[in-house]
Amino acid sequence: MALKLDGNAQAERIKCELKARVSALADQGLRPGLGTLLVGEDPGSLKYVEGKHRDCAQVGIRSIRRQLPASADTREVVNAVEALNADPACTGFIVQLPLPRGVNQNTVIEAVDPAKDADGMHPVNLGQLVLRTSGPLASPLPCTPRGVLALLDAYGIDLSGKDVCVLGRGLTVGRTIGLLLTRREVNATVTLCHTGTRNLSDHLRRADVVVAAAGSAGLVRAEDVKPGVVLVDVGVSRVWDGGQGRWRIKGDIDPGARRSAAAYTPNPGGVGPMTRAMLLANVVEAAEREARHR
């Protein structure tokens, strides 16, 4: 039977550790603060932001919420980013994506102070990840890729020398996870596949580990993977369940593929909780860096 990689359980363990570190910072007179900037009222984004602030309450991190209407333009969003940059109570913050049409996402991300980049998506921080192929990293790391690696490590899954097939080339996972997987400390070999990849099934069947982050429900089928594969399901799609008469969440990996797997992440309950835990970790680590430089 395949090993279930329980992201909920591991995220709770990480939050317990972070709570102790937040308490130690409080003894030094410093309380970490997570800011969120939400533009518009996308239901998925609203739910995700609410979850982040519940996590903050669990570990003792201050919550700082900023929201703009969907009609906000790029300048208004950048002004809100600059206000969070200047707020001493805000240790780190995220701009919730996606942004409404007409708002230049790159301009907004580039306006974030790299030291307060809780998502690890600022070009300066991504550049550090590109340059530093081994050794310690002092810059914040992209939350979902970091969460994937932390979850695999928690279950003793060694990636050294393994062939990892990543599906999807989005900035959040696809374009960034390879930077972590190919660091010398991890030492994996990565194939990045996307909508332009020919013979996708061939790439999948060669992989020791599949990281599916395409946002295409059920894309990876049982016949696409080899026995003993590790399946990491990052993609999230809302699909209509006619039998149940409701929308439900479905991942990129068809559950039937688990029959061949050595280990798999459930979806939901796998990578999602780890992403949120890593966001908190980035905020706490930023506060710890600030404490060291006082």
Side-chain angles (χ1 to χ4, degrees):
M1 183 177 293
L3 174 65
K4 177 182 174 181
L5 308 180
D6 190 340
N8 283 321
Q10 295 304 319
E12 288 303 313
R13 177 185 61 79
I14 291 167
K15 285 189 280 188
C16 284
E17 294 172 358
L18 291 173
K19 186 174 183 179
R21 289 162 64 182
V22 169
S23 180
L25 285 164
D27 292 341
Q28 301 175 58
L30 182 59
R31 184 184 180 192
L34 170 65
T36 58
L37 175 55
L38 178 63
V39 185
E41 297 185 354
D42 175 76
S45 293
L46 283 165
K47 183 178 179 181
Y48 196 52
V49 166
E50 285 297 325
K52 289 170 182 175
H53 288 291
R54 285 196 300 272
D55 292 338
C56 285
Q58 273 189 272
V59 301
I61 293 175
R62 179 188 290 112
S63 285
I64 301 161
R65 305 183 189 213
R66 300 288 183 267
Q67 187 165 357
L68 295 173
S71 59
D73 61 20
T74 300
R75 184 68 255 171
E76 289 172 303
V77 179
V78 168
N79 287 343
V81 166
E82 290 173 345
L84 287 168
N85 286 340
D87 186 350
C90 177
T91 310
F93 67 95
I94 63 107
V95 178
Q96 182 64 38
L97 302 178
L99 292 167
R101 285 185 180 180
V103 177
N104 189 310
Q105 179 175 303
N106 288 340
T107 299
V108 171
I109 291 174
E110 289 167 11
V112 175
D113 179 350
K116 290 192 173 187
D117 171 27
D119 257 342
M121 291 295 178
H122 191 279
V124 168
N125 294 324
L126 291 177
Q128 288 294 318
L129 189 52
V130 170
L131 289 170
R132 300 183 184 279
T133 58
S134 63
L137 282 164
S139 53
L141 298 175
C143 297
T144 301
R146 184 181 181 185
V148 168
L149 267 65
L151 184 56
L152 295 173
D153 185 64
Y155 285 92
I157 296 174
D158 183 11
L159 296 174
S160 181
K162 299 292 177 63
D163 288 319
V164 181
C165 184
V166 177
L167 295 181
R169 53 183 162 184
L171 180 62
T172 305
V173 183
R175 299 189 73 82
T176 50
I177 195 168
L179 296 172
L180 285 173
L181 287 166
T182 53
R183 299 191 85 238
R184 294 187 188 279
E185 289 79 2
V186 181
N187 217 31
T189 298
V190 177
T191 300
L192 175 61
C193 296
H194 46 76
T195 52
T197 301
R198 295 179 181 177
N199 303 317
L200 176 60
S201 293
D202 293 343
H203 293 284
L204 290 169
R205 279 191 288 269
R206 285 195 294 268
D208 302 306
V209 180
V210 172
V211 179
S216 179
L219 176 64
V220 180
R221 304 158 301 169
E223 59 267 32
D224 294 326
V225 298
K226 69 180 183 181
V229 69
V230 175
L231 300 173
V232 180
D233 195 350
V234 184
V236 174
S237 301
R238 291 177 74 243
V239 297
W240 179 252
D241 187 333
Q244 298 284 333
R246 62 182 177 86
W247 293 95
R248 61 184 178 87
I249 297 298
K250 188 172 181 180
D252 282 2
I253 300 177
D254 188 279
R258 297 173 186 172
R259 291 194 297 270
S260 300
Y264 72 94
T265 65
N267 193 342
V271 175
M274 295 297 293
T275 297
R276 283 165 41 186
M278 293 302 106
L279 177 69
L280 300 180
N282 279 347
V283 172
V284 172
E285 287 165 3
E288 290 170 338
R289 285 193 289 272
E290 182 181 333
R292 287 195 296 270
H293 290 97
R294 277 186 167 186

